[in-house]
Amino acid sequence: MSEQEPTFTIPHRPQRQYPRSGGVTYEGETIFRLSPDADREEAQLADLVEGVLAGDAYTFGDWFDLPAPVYLVHDDELDTTFTAVVRNGSVELHVLPDTSSEGLAALYRRLTAASETDWSVACESSPS
């Protein structure tokens, strides 16, 4: 809905670490925070995100028992994966090591098309 779409250029990619104790951790992070210009309840934002993710382009799941909706998202068309979190009136897109900018932009376009409001985008990034 906004006149100029954000580029979703990823300044730093997290580095995947495999500790000897098991599991996986990430060093560094990049988060794109998508905020609707009109205030929405978190439940409304979660419904919007789930509605968009339920489309043909995505495989997703909310497998975590957390106080906020957290989705591991795979864009089947662009073959990219990232995490989406609905928190504090925004949708956060958390970059993984192989996330593509195109995949983030595609979700942004689908969210703006499915809502009747403009969105602002902010990027937070730290290399470690």
Side-chain angles (χ1 to χ4, degrees), residues 6 24 45 59 69 73 80-81 86 112 116 120 124 127:
V24 64
L45 271 179
T59 303
V73 179
T80 193
T81 304
V86 177
T112 58
E116 296 186 14
S120 60
E124 301 169 14

Side-chain angles (χ1 to χ4, degrees), residues 40-114:
R40 293 197 178 202
E41 298 288 326
E42 300 231 350
Q44 291 174 313
L45 271 179
D47 287 345
L48 174 64
V49 170
E50 285 186 25
V52 169
L53 294 178
D56 292 339
Y58 298 104
T59 303
F60 75 101
D62 180 9
W63 297 288
F64 308 104
D65 186 20
L66 298 172
V70 177
Y71 308 96
L72 181 60
V73 179
H74 181 76
D75 185 316
D76 298 329
E77 294 174 358
L78 297 171
D79 193 27
T80 193
T81 304
F82 52 91
T83 304
V85 180
V86 177
R87 175 175 30 217
N88 299 326
S90 296
V91 178
E92 298 175 359
L93 305 181
H94 293 251
V95 173
L96 296 172
D98 299 327
T99 300
S100 75
S101 294
E102 295 82 12
L104 301 173
L107 180 59
Y108 170 82
R109 284 191 300 274
R110 289 179 177 112
L111 283 173
T112 58

